[in-house]
Amino acid sequence: MSRRLISVDRVGIEERAAALGRRSIKHEAKRLGIALATSMIDLTTLEGADTPGKVRHLAAKAVCPDPARPELPSCAAVCVYPALVGVAAEALRGSGVAVASVSTGFPAGQTSLEVKVEETREAVAAGADEIDMVISRDAYLSGDDARVAHEIERVKEACGPAHLKVILETAELPTYAHVRHASQLAIDAGADVIKTSTGKAATGATPGVVLVMLETVRDHAWRTGQLVGVKAAGGVSTTKAALHMLVLVKETLGDEWLTADRFRIGASSLLNDLLMQYAKLDSGHYGRPEDFSKE
Amino acid sequence: MTRRAVVAKTYKLYLGGAFARSESGRSDTATDHAGEHVANVPRGSRKDVRDAVKAARGGAGRWAAATAYNRGQVLYRLAEALESRSEELVRAAVAQQDVAAAAARAEVGAAVDTLVHYAGWTDKLAAVLGGINPVAAPYLSFSAPEATGVVAVLAPDAPDLLGLVREIAPALAAGNAVVAVVSRRWPLRPLDLGEIAGVSDVPAGVLNLLTGRLDELVEPLCGHRDVNAIVDATGRADLAATVDTLAADTVKRVLRPAAGDGIGDGALGRLEALTELKTAWHPIGA
């Protein structure tokens, strides 16, 4: 079973990604950028210590990020473990904010396919609108693309109407060429969205990785007309990093991709930094973290 | 033997235990009493202020949680390190500021003494400011001082070194992290103090030194919501209203210390202003 990788120029990608992070975005543009980034957040809590109360609090925050600034939009989704999907769905009913659930033995993915499919079915039945699955890195790294694709297809089938986001966990892929290959593999197997990371690995959505994935999606759209979303997750915790992501999207795919349907940011601590920076634009004073509720 | 080329120093800011260039990339020249160019110093910007406060907040928790005894040891160690480099600081004052060697030596000596004095205060503060309160109810009520948090220090122009040490020493002894804007006219010895602190035991982020133009830095620093108190030792009447307004907007305390050496009668007042008293009530058995 041989694999043909399309080589990716590492230095070129990293230089371009870094260059796109050096723009000065201030005042009104920053205000709009913060609002846009807020609307793209999958507000996430994936801790062993998650409780129904914490998820309800998170859901309220996703619907109305800052009660003092009602002009800010709701987040795109709340992302939780499968056991808490019911609580999140109940809390978000009628709000327009989606419920996302991680699935398939998140974050390692080291369970059998039957368990993965069953877990996905349960999450969808409990009210999940979106499923974030992890690929089997063991299969991918041993060169078994067919097994990776088969698993994605089976999980996609189990999703039914729910959207499927496929997590590549790029920190565990050796090179950008593999990021590109795994992205294409996931898209061909039926992913609605490709996602960088679980947030549990050493690195996450580095600008270079996000740029390679955006370019894969762009090339696929040009070739086939099919639109696939991208989700940057893991390590995007500051306003500066979030605005950097938005610039990458705009310069790679254009304005029509700057919507929550096609680009998401998975984050837990980002929202408070966005709110803090937004408040700074109003008051002129630098803020402090404790002015905003902790999830 | 060939003549050596003179290496002119470019100083850096002291932020989060590291030496950083100004985020703005700008620098100012530092001149001596005759107007001769001596060295370059970074011209701090509002982003540097933000970075400094962030570093201070990062260091504040650990410093406040350290035992009072340990804080005393660290301040004493800083005094030791300052003492060991005192001749160099005296020479710099004589060369740059055209002061008599005896006066310069007295100033550096006083700075060392100030640090030693406040190093001794750290583990006595709780007994002097706190204690058991006599209450008319079956409770044990006691109070203990805690650090205020992040303290902004606006140091006076002169004396550059002693003026800075006099304001940072009580803040540090009380368990606070400090962001100080040092003398604009004589910034070099205050930055030397940063280099001394950098190789003593002061934890990263607990002491942060900014150079630059006070008029640019006052607004972001005193208006920063994550700063808990301001020590305004500039003596500038024109700045007072601005500082007070910014402090009032963000509810923080402003301390304008009286002129003096900061040792002796004045010390407790300075320490008290930079602490918060926590009182706890505990029911006592029947």
Side-chain angles (χ1 to χ4, degrees):
Chain A
M1 210 164 357
S2 72
R3 189 185 253 172
R4 286 187 55 202
L5 295 180
I6 298 170
S7 69
V8 176
D9 173 8
R10 180 176 67 82
V11 174
I13 280 287
E14 285 177 359
E15 280 294 310
R16 177 164 169 77
L20 293 176
R22 280 196 279 271
R23 289 196 183 162
S24 175
I25 299 170
K26 296 205 188 298
H27 310 298
E28 201 51 35
K30 186 170 185 183
R31 200 181 281 275
L32 293 170
I34 289 173
L36 184 60
T38 304
S39 74
M40 291 174 164
I41 289 181
D42 280 5
L43 199 57
T44 304
T45 183
L46 295 170
E47 306 293 335
D50 288 348
T51 58
K54 187 177 171 191
V55 170
R56 276 185 215 109
H57 175 82
L58 200 71
K61 190 158 179 176
V63 174
C64 181
D66 187 350
R69 295 187 172 76
E71 73 272 22
L72 278 172
S74 300
C75 297
V78 167
C79 185
V80 293
Y81 273 122
L84 291 159
V85 166
V87 178
E90 177 66 35
L92 291 169
R93 183 162 298 144
S95 67
V97 177
V99 180
S101 171
V102 295
S103 178
T104 72
F106 183 92
Q110 298 277 26
T111 58
S112 73
L113 180 55
E114 296 319 310
V115 172
K116 291 178 182 178
V117 169
E118 196 47 43
E119 189 185 15
T120 306
R121 278 209 190 95
E122 271 182 30
V124 174
D129 306 301
E130 302 171 358
I131 295 292
D132 290 30
M133 76 168 286
V134 288
I135 63 166
S136 294
R137 274 91 74 193
D138 60 323
Y140 182 84
L141 292 173
S142 58
D144 194 351
D145 288 354
R147 197 178 121 208
V148 176
H150 177 64
E151 287 198 355
I152 296 172
E153 284 160 9
R154 285 287 308 278
V155 173
K156 170 74 183 163
E157 207 178 285
C159 281
H163 271 249
L164 178 64
K165 303 186 206 127
V166 176
I167 305 173
L168 308 178
E169 191 63 307
T170 51
E172 295 179 0
L173 304 181
T175 63
Y176 285 124
H178 281 282
V179 172
R180 191 177 170 103
H181 183 76
S183 299
Q184 191 64 51
L185 185 66
I187 291 168
D188 291 341
D192 297 306
V193 173
I194 52 174
K195 172 174 166 185
T196 57
S197 322
T198 58
K200 305 285 184 192
T203 66
T206 62
V209 157
V210 173
L211 184 55
V212 169
M213 289 171 63
L214 289 167
E215 289 186 348
T216 312
V217 163
R218 178 195 61 192
D219 295 351
H220 184 77
W222 282 352
R223 208 165 50 240
T224 66
Q226 187 202 351
L227 304 177
V228 177
V230 175
K231 175 171 169 183
V236 186
S237 56
T238 62
T239 300
K240 195 171 184 172
L243 294 177
H244 188 178
M245 293 294 148
L246 297 186
V247 174
L248 290 176
V249 174
K250 179 179 162 58
E251 293 302 324
T252 313
L253 286 152
D255 284 340
E256 65 270 32
W257 283 79
L258 289 173
T259 79
D261 293 338
R262 302 198 194 164
F263 189 74
R264 293 280 181 86
I265 301 169
S268 47
S269 55
L270 169 64
L271 182 56
N272 272 1
D273 194 61
L274 289 171
L275 298 179
M276 198 160 86
Q277 299 296 333
Y278 197 86
K280 154 92 172 38
L281 291 172
D282 283 341
S283 69
H285 300 313
Y286 285 120
R288 62 176 163 204
E290 58 260 49
D291 285 349
F292 302 93
S293 67
K294 300 241 188 322
E295 293 82 48
Chain B
M1 195 176 145
T2 52
R3 206 162 57 84
R4 290 192 56 229
V6 177
V7 177
K9 184 164 177 176
T10 295
Y11 280 82
K12 292 186 180 180
L13 305 170
Y14 181 50
L15 293 185
F19 299 94
R21 290 192 174 82
S22 168
E23 183 274 343
S24 66
R26 302 176 303 179
S27 60
D28 280 324
T29 53
T31 55
D32 67 9
H33 62 95
E36 293 292 320
H37 182 182
V38 182
N40 295 313
V41 292
R43 183 167 152 196
S45 68
R46 49 191 306 134
K47 287 264 167 58
D48 294 316
V49 166
R50 188 189 63 180
D51 292 346
V53 174
K54 199 172 175 192
R57 177 57 63 193
R62 205 180 128 202
W63 183 241
T67 60
Y69 178 65
N70 181 236
R71 278 204 298 275
Q73 285 179 310
V74 170
L75 285 179
Y76 189 80
R77 172 87 185 121
L78 182 59
E80 277 178 357
L82 184 60
E83 175 86 67
S84 74
R85 288 181 58 175
S86 56
E87 274 311 304
E88 183 189 326
L89 292 164
V90 168
R91 276 198 306 276
V94 170
Q96 292 159 14
Q97 301 177 19
D98 194 28
V99 292
R105 199 161 283 126
E107 188 209 339
V108 177
V112 174
D113 292 349
T114 302
L115 283 170
V116 173
H117 178 81
Y118 283 100
W121 263 112
T122 57
D123 56 0
K124 295 157 191 78
L125 205 54
V128 177
L129 293 180
I132 296 174
N133 307 315
V135 291
Y139 291 95
L140 170 65
S141 169
F142 58 96
S143 299
E146 293 191 339
T148 293
V150 173
V151 175
V153 168
L154 310 179
D157 250 346
D160 54 328
L161 182 69
L162 179 58
L164 175 66
V165 169
R166 208 153 54 193
E167 307 313 331
I168 65 171
L172 295 175
N176 300 287
V178 170
V179 176
V181 180
V182 307
S183 168
R184 162 95 174 91
R185 179 66 191 90
W186 309 111
L188 300 184
R189 295 197 309 157
L191 288 178
D192 284 330
L193 180 70
E195 296 185 2
I196 292 167
V199 293
S200 70
D201 293 333
V202 179
V206 170
L207 176 62
N208 304 277
L209 301 177
L210 296 169
T211 49
R213 305 179 183 192
L214 200 54
D215 297 311
E216 286 177 15
L217 300 178
V218 155
E219 199 259 306
L221 181 58
C222 297
H224 198 308
R225 290 185 52 76
D226 216 9
V227 171
N228 302 105
I230 301 168
V231 179
D232 175 9
T234 57
R236 275 177 55 179
D238 60 320
L239 215 59
T242 311
V243 170
D244 287 349
T245 307
L246 289 164
D249 279 349
T250 46
V251 198
K252 51 178 75 101
R253 186 174 303 146
V254 179
L255 176 66
R256 287 206 173 75
D261 63 2
I263 300 180
D265 291 345
L268 188 60
R270 287 175 188 247
L271 288 162
E272 190 175 13
L274 298 173
T275 54
E276 310 298 322
L277 213 55
K278 181 168 83 178
T279 297
W281 293 63
H282 193 281
I284 49 179

